[in-house]
Amino acid sequence: MMDKKTEDFYIRLKEELTNSTLWPSEYLYKFIMPSNAHSIAKVEAIFNDMGAVITTQQSKTGKFTSVSISVTMVSPQSVIDKYIAVSDIEGIISL
């Protein structure tokens, strides 16, 4: 169960996506996370079989990895569902 602040964020995001975009549409997810191959693989698995273009870039120190995912999503709720799905991965930050 998510806290009120997170729930409010997703409500606002859904409203913004509904009002600003025609669906289905291309959506770009951006995440920062610790450079952990297992965690990165989890993110990639969540977007598997969707035709997503996934790019990763390690930080200069190698401690963190940025993950960008460009994928066609069918609705604002489908965008939010993916954010919720990755939120369980330790150390991930959605940008």
Side-chain angles (χ1 to χ4, degrees):
M1 201 71 200
M2 65 181 81
D3 63 34
K4 178 79 171 130
K5 184 177 175 184
T6 304
E7 192 175 320
D8 288 347
F9 169 78
Y10 286 132
I11 289 168
R12 280 194 315 278
L13 177 61
K14 186 174 183 178
E15 287 174 6
E16 287 177 25
L17 292 174
T18 299
N19 295 331
S20 67
T21 308
L22 292 174
W23 298 93
S25 184
E26 194 76 13
Y27 189 81
L28 179 63
Y29 291 89
K30 290 184 160 271
F31 305 106
I32 299 286
M33 57 194 306
S35 294
N36 173 314
H38 180 69
S39 294
I40 294 168
K42 279 184 179 180
V43 173
E44 292 174 344
I46 288 169
F47 291 90
N48 198 19
D49 297 327
M50 294 182 67
V53 176
I54 301 172
T55 56
T56 60
Q57 175 79 38
Q58 236 182 28
S59 65
K60 287 182 183 177
T61 62
K63 289 182 180 180
F64 297 95
T65 298
S66 69
V67 181
S68 297
I69 302 165
S70 182
V71 62
T72 299
M73 301 302 288
V74 296
S75 68
Q77 187 59 52
S78 66
V79 170
I80 291 166
D81 291 344
K82 291 297 181 186
Y83 277 121
I84 292 169
V86 301
S87 68
D88 291 339
I89 298 171
E90 188 174 336
I92 194 165
I93 299 170
S94 301
L95 302 177

